[in-house]
Amino acid sequence: MISLTPLKTLQNIEFRNLLTGRFFIVLAFRMLATLLGWWVYQLTKDPFSIGLIGLSEVIPAVSCALYAGHVIDMNEKKKLLLICTYLYVFLIGLLLIPAFYNVELHFSGHEITYYIYGVIFFTGIVRAFIGPIVPSMIPKIVQKVNLPSAITLNQATFLISSVCGHAAGGFLIGLVGVKWTLIVIVSLISIASLFFWNLNKQFSEHKKDEIKVLESMREGISYIFKTKEILGALCLDMFAVLFGGAVAMIPVFATDILKSGAEGFGLLNAASDIGSMIIITTLSIIPLRKNQGKILLFVVAGFGLCIIGFGLSHYYWLSFMFLVLSGMLDGISVVIRGTIVQLKTPDHIRGRVLSVNSIFIMSSNEMGQFESGLAAKLMGVVKSVVFGGSMTLLIALIVATTNPKLRKMQY
């Protein structure tokens, strides 16, 4: 049955501004991720160095996430969002120094790599705050009846911008090089800030001295552990993506196995997001009506099979299709998980719960990147990807047998 709810939700001007700003900022972030993976691998020719990019960001991001949730719940959200956006502009701008002046300053490849890790460490701190802010603002902007549709549209926006960002990053690197691609990235984040300025202020429901920091953080963690559906969905996503992070090794596959060059790398890097965009756009029109918990478990298992297929493939278009299918399955997982978290979380604790959620997401994505780099170094690239897909299948089976509430979940 086709739903008209997404069209009604998009009539909300403030919601459109939030989504448009998020589109530009995620576009920039995905271009940056694509650029950094390519840049660092060209500097070092070491797959493990790609994994260290994720590690250098996830350590500060996870370390600050619980405190960030407290700050978000206790302060005005629009101001925090703008501060984080402009901090990103400054930090990414620092990468222009080695990009433009490495010859004059006589930087070696390893020195530039260490400098990149240092900058990304500080962006990780900012990410701990900016990650939960946008989803925490949505329930105050749209009516509750439109919330599932708004969550799906938010994810669709994220994935469309991811597709464009990955592909554009690869094409721009090949066309104008690293330094001018960085200029485009900084410009896109600045454009995002213009849309964020048009949002209404969202003040805290708490008084400044109402709740202590440690008590506040503990409340967010406690709520997730008491709500088994949320805990199961987050654990499933974290461990599945942790072991199924084949995307981190795409620079190696594109360069050494598939021989596709920078342009082919950009398209390959966007493949999973293309699949996710297709399925999430479909779900915004024809939403899932029942058995969401069982569907979540099946799509995660299918995701693992696709990662195994990608690791074993030596043909560019077959590898591309495996990644597209993995993205479609992951897109279903993202919609179900995001809806569960939002619908089962009350407003007064939303920032803290979403910050804990961001820990799971960051742990899976960035630690998955590190795990992929380490496994590639120890086992070889192909074996490491096949191992990761196999572990994803195992995780889906374990969660299915140990969390009956998630298995029976419907909304």
Side-chain angles (χ1 to χ4, degrees), residues 134-400:
V134 171
S136 71
M137 296 178 78
I138 292 175
K140 289 291 187 69
I141 294 174
V142 302
Q143 296 179 347
K144 188 172 183 179
V145 67
N146 294 329
L147 187 55
S149 172
I151 294 167
T152 304
L153 288 169
N154 181 49
Q155 293 297 341
T157 301
F158 174 85
L159 289 162
I160 292 170
S161 58
S162 292
V163 170
C164 297
H166 281 315
F171 288 128
L172 281 174
I173 292 167
L175 185 64
V176 298
V178 168
K179 57 187 179 183
W180 292 108
T181 304
L182 279 171
I183 291 289
V184 173
I185 290 169
V186 171
S187 301
L188 289 171
I189 299 175
S190 301
I191 292 171
S193 72
L194 301 179
F195 290 93
F196 293 149
W197 274 107
N198 291 321
L199 301 176
N200 294 325
K201 293 182 177 181
Q202 288 191 13
F203 293 98
S204 171
E205 296 182 4
H206 302 275
K207 295 179 180 178
K208 288 286 185 179
D209 57 351
E210 182 179 303
I211 188 168
K212 295 180 180 179
V213 175
L214 291 179
E215 180 186 341
S216 172
M217 294 190 294
R218 197 160 43 237
E219 187 180 0
I221 297 171
S222 176
Y223 184 82
I224 286 179
F225 277 90
K226 287 188 298 184
T227 312
K228 300 302 181 184
E229 297 92 334
I230 295 180
L231 180 63
L234 296 187
C235 287
L236 184 65
D237 177 73
M238 181 180 75
F239 288 109
V241 178
L242 175 66
F243 290 110
V247 174
M249 291 297 105
I250 286 178
V252 184
F253 275 84
T255 302
D256 300 336
I257 297 175
L258 302 175
K259 311 292 184 182
S260 61
E263 292 79 6
F265 160 65
L267 186 58
L268 201 65
N269 213 29
S272 62
D273 286 335
I274 290 172
S276 296
M277 179 184 67
I278 292 170
I279 200 66
I280 286 185
T281 302
T282 302
L283 291 177
S284 67
I285 301 170
I286 308 173
L288 297 170
R289 298 294 183 184
K290 58 182 180 179
N291 297 325
Q292 289 90 348
K294 290 180 181 177
I295 292 172
L296 177 62
L297 293 164
F298 277 116
V299 298
V300 171
F303 175 83
L305 288 173
C306 290
I307 296 304
I308 293 172
F310 171 76
L312 295 175
S313 170
H314 284 73
Y315 300 96
Y316 181 85
W317 287 109
L318 182 59
S319 300
F320 178 82
M321 291 309 300
F322 272 124
L323 289 176
V324 170
L325 182 56
S326 74
M328 295 177 73
L329 296 172
D330 186 51
I332 298 172
S333 170
V334 166
V335 169
I336 295 174
R337 187 186 72 247
T339 305
I340 289 173
V341 172
Q342 288 281 22
L343 290 178
K344 288 193 164 288
T345 304
D347 287 338
H348 73 279
I349 200 174
R350 196 174 300 276
R352 281 161 285 172
V353 169
L354 289 172
S355 289
V356 178
N357 180 38
S358 73
I359 292 177
F360 282 80
I361 294 172
M362 287 183 290
S363 297
S364 60
N365 290 331
E366 274 64 37
M367 286 303 295
Q369 187 178 20
F370 174 71
E371 182 273 336
S372 295
L374 180 60
K377 189 175 184 69
L378 297 176
M379 295 189 285
V381 175
V382 173
K383 288 181 180 179
S384 69
V385 171
V386 173
F387 168 76
S390 302
M391 289 300 296
T392 301
L393 281 171
L394 179 61
I395 293 299
L397 178 62
I398 291 173
V399 174

